[in-house]
Amino acid sequence: MSSVTEHTCCSDCQEFVSDDGDKCLQSNKERAKFISHTKGPHIFFDKLFHRRDTPNSNVLSSYEEATLESIRNWETTKGKRAVLCGVAYNKQKYKLKGTNYDVINMRELLGSQFCFPSSSIHILIEMDSHPHPTKRNIQEALKWLVKDNQPGDSLVFYFSGHGLRKPDFFEDELDGFNETICPVDFRTAGMITDNDINDTIVRPLKNGVKLHAIIDSCHSGTILDLQDVYSTKKKLWLDNSSPSGVYKGTSGGHAISISACEDNQLAADTSAFSDCGKQMEGAMTYTFKKALMEKPRVSYAGLLASMHKDILTAKEKGFSLRGLFHRQRLQEPVLSSSKVFDVNEPFVL
């Protein structure tokens, strides 16, 4: 029997999933074996991961042009600013029910707990009163987030929606996969990869600037491609540097990511925390907010521990997994950083 793990690809989300649900392709050699088993590999992967735009998809409507222009004209406030994205995928079969609620919770948390001015918090959701979370809009909003960043700035990027992964053939990822987030139009416009996110909001960070990314999606563990990942089991930082040697750090600032789960895990929506048992919300977002509300000066380590404990509780009540392959594996929140720091420091935005 071949030692190569069999992989399948979802026709909707284009995610590769191993039969055992956990193992990734561990090396370039193993990936090469997998490619050799496919028919017409170049055509195969082109179809899988390089969505061709539908006719006229590059031609923006007047409304889309106006929306992009309004994002470009957002005021670049000093100090604290945030971009919050919630993607529900309305009218699509992989619709999520709790993402708008997640964004509302995050906006309230930033305002009440961390004194972010309402004018410095910009929201992208599928409502006419806000820019929609299309690929172009998210990319433009992320550019705004780090534009003219200065020492003392505290920046936040929050995303609630689907996350996927696709094979990396450039020796850029330790596990052989690029992690992605899915805009509302990802089937035609494509996904936003960890490389894209790193280039846009990590590399430009100047000395004295701190960025926190809070990502509530599947496969989000290293979604910012940061070089250090904290192991809660070993109580130490692990090296996540790119095997290719490409620099993925900042321009002197500090980037921190808190993700819903490890790269090979699925995140969950759940109503387990709702008083009425009906309101769906991201398990990661709820437990994140709960930990900070109960103990405002909680440390990074304490935050992870509290989230893990509450997710275990919710697991017993029932999860609705965000992935299209419903593998029952408990999500583990992940902390990553552009540099090693003391996780016993208080979490502050």
Side-chain angles (χ1 to χ4, degrees):
M1 182 178 292
S2 171
S3 62
V4 179
T5 305
E6 292 295 319
H7 286 67
T8 57
C9 177
C10 172
S11 60
D12 290 313
C13 70
Q14 304 306 303
E15 175 199 4
F16 269 121
V17 181
S18 59
D19 287 345
D20 63 7
D22 295 334
K23 295 180 180 177
C24 301
L25 298 178
Q26 296 299 322
S27 66
N28 290 332
K29 183 177 179 181
E30 196 171 24
R31 290 201 299 279
K33 287 182 181 179
F34 172 57
I35 296 171
S36 68
H37 293 165
T38 65
K39 183 177 180 180
H42 297 293
I43 297 174
F44 182 73
F45 284 107
D46 181 68
K47 288 181 178 179
L48 287 181
F49 302 117
H50 296 86
R51 292 287 191 179
R52 292 184 175 87
D53 290 336
T54 55
N56 299 321
S57 66
N58 287 321
V59 179
L60 300 181
S61 68
S62 57
Y63 172 78
E64 291 169 329
E65 287 280 12
T67 300
L68 272 176
E69 190 61 27
S70 70
I71 295 173
R72 294 184 184 117
N73 290 329
W74 285 348
E75 181 183 359
T76 308
T77 55
K78 294 182 179 180
K80 299 188 177 190
R81 57 182 184 264
V83 169
L84 314 181
C85 298
V87 195
Y89 312 93
N90 289 330
K91 299 180 181 179
Q92 301 182 53
K93 64 182 180 181
Y94 31 82
K95 179 179 179 179
L96 294 173
K97 297 180 180 179
T99 53
N100 287 354
Y101 192 69
D102 289 342
V103 167
I104 292 171
N105 276 332
M106 284 303 303
R107 180 180 61 186
E108 292 177 350
L109 179 70
L110 292 179
S112 63
Q113 197 83 1
F114 297 103
C115 301
F116 274 64
S118 58
S119 60
S120 73
I121 302 173
H122 287 284
I123 291 173
L124 283 74
I125 54 177
E126 292 166 71
M127 295 178 62
D128 290 340
S129 55
H130 295 280
H132 288 189
T134 63
K135 183 175 182 178
R136 285 189 179 96
N137 288 349
I138 293 175
Q139 289 173 324
E140 202 63 44
L142 291 180
K143 291 176 185 177
W144 167 84
L145 182 63
V146 297
K147 182 181 179 182
D148 299 328
N149 64 90
Q150 299 296 327
D153 285 350
S154 175
L155 314 177
V156 172
F157 170 48
Y158 171 80
F159 179 85
S160 178
H162 281 306
L164 301 172
R165 63 206 312 230
K166 60 181 184 178
D168 155 53
F169 299 105
F170 301 97
E171 299 185 8
D172 195 43
E173 303 282 344
L174 287 175
D175 63 358
F177 287 90
N178 284 304
E179 284 65 49
T180 74
I181 57 174
C182 298
V184 65
D185 57 348
F186 78 99
R187 292 195 63 174
T188 55
M191 299 171 278
I192 300 176
T193 68
D194 46 10
N195 294 328
D196 298 331
I197 296 172
N198 183 277
D199 287 344
T200 305
I201 63 174
V202 175
R203 295 293 298 278
L205 296 177
K206 300 174 184 176
N207 278 315
V209 179
K210 183 171 285 189
L211 165 76
H212 284 86
I214 302 154
I215 311 297
D216 195 348
S217 65
C218 298
H219 311 299
S220 55
T222 61
I223 191 62
L224 264 65
D225 266 355
L226 301 179
Q227 66 182 20
D228 296 292
V229 176
Y230 186 72
S231 169
T232 55
K233 295 179 180 178
K234 297 181 179 180
K235 308 297 183 185
L236 53 79
W237 289 94
L238 305 177
D239 186 5
N240 186 55
S241 300
S242 172
S244 67
V246 173
Y247 181 67
K248 295 294 187 75
T250 70
S251 296
H254 189 186
I256 297 171
S257 175
I258 298 179
S259 306
C261 59
E262 296 178 4
D263 287 340
N264 61 348
Q265 293 179 332
L266 300 181
D269 277 332
T270 182
S271 60
F273 302 114
S274 172
D275 292 335
C276 63
K278 296 181 179 180
Q279 177 60 57
M280 297 294 291
E281 53 197 314
M284 183 265 189
T285 300
Y286 176 87
T287 57
F288 175 81
K289 180 181 178 181
K290 179 174 179 287
L292 292 169
M293 295 296 289
E294 291 180 346
K295 191 175 181 181
R297 297 288 291 179
V298 67
S299 67
Y300 285 86
L303 176 62
L304 292 176
S306 177
M307 292 171 66
H308 175 73
K309 176 177 174 291
D310 288 336
I311 286 172
L312 276 175
T313 300
K315 171 75 172 179
E316 296 172 357
K317 295 183 179 180
F319 269 170
S320 172
L321 294 176
R322 287 187 172 184
L324 297 178
F325 288 86
H326 290 182
R327 293 164 288 164
Q328 293 295 327
R329 187 173 182 214
L330 182 65
Q331 66 186 73
E332 291 277 357
V334 175
L335 172 67
S336 60
S337 173
S338 60
K339 62 182 180 181
V340 171
F341 69 96
D342 185 358
V343 296
N344 294 309
E345 292 179 7
F347 177 88
V348 178
L349 296 177

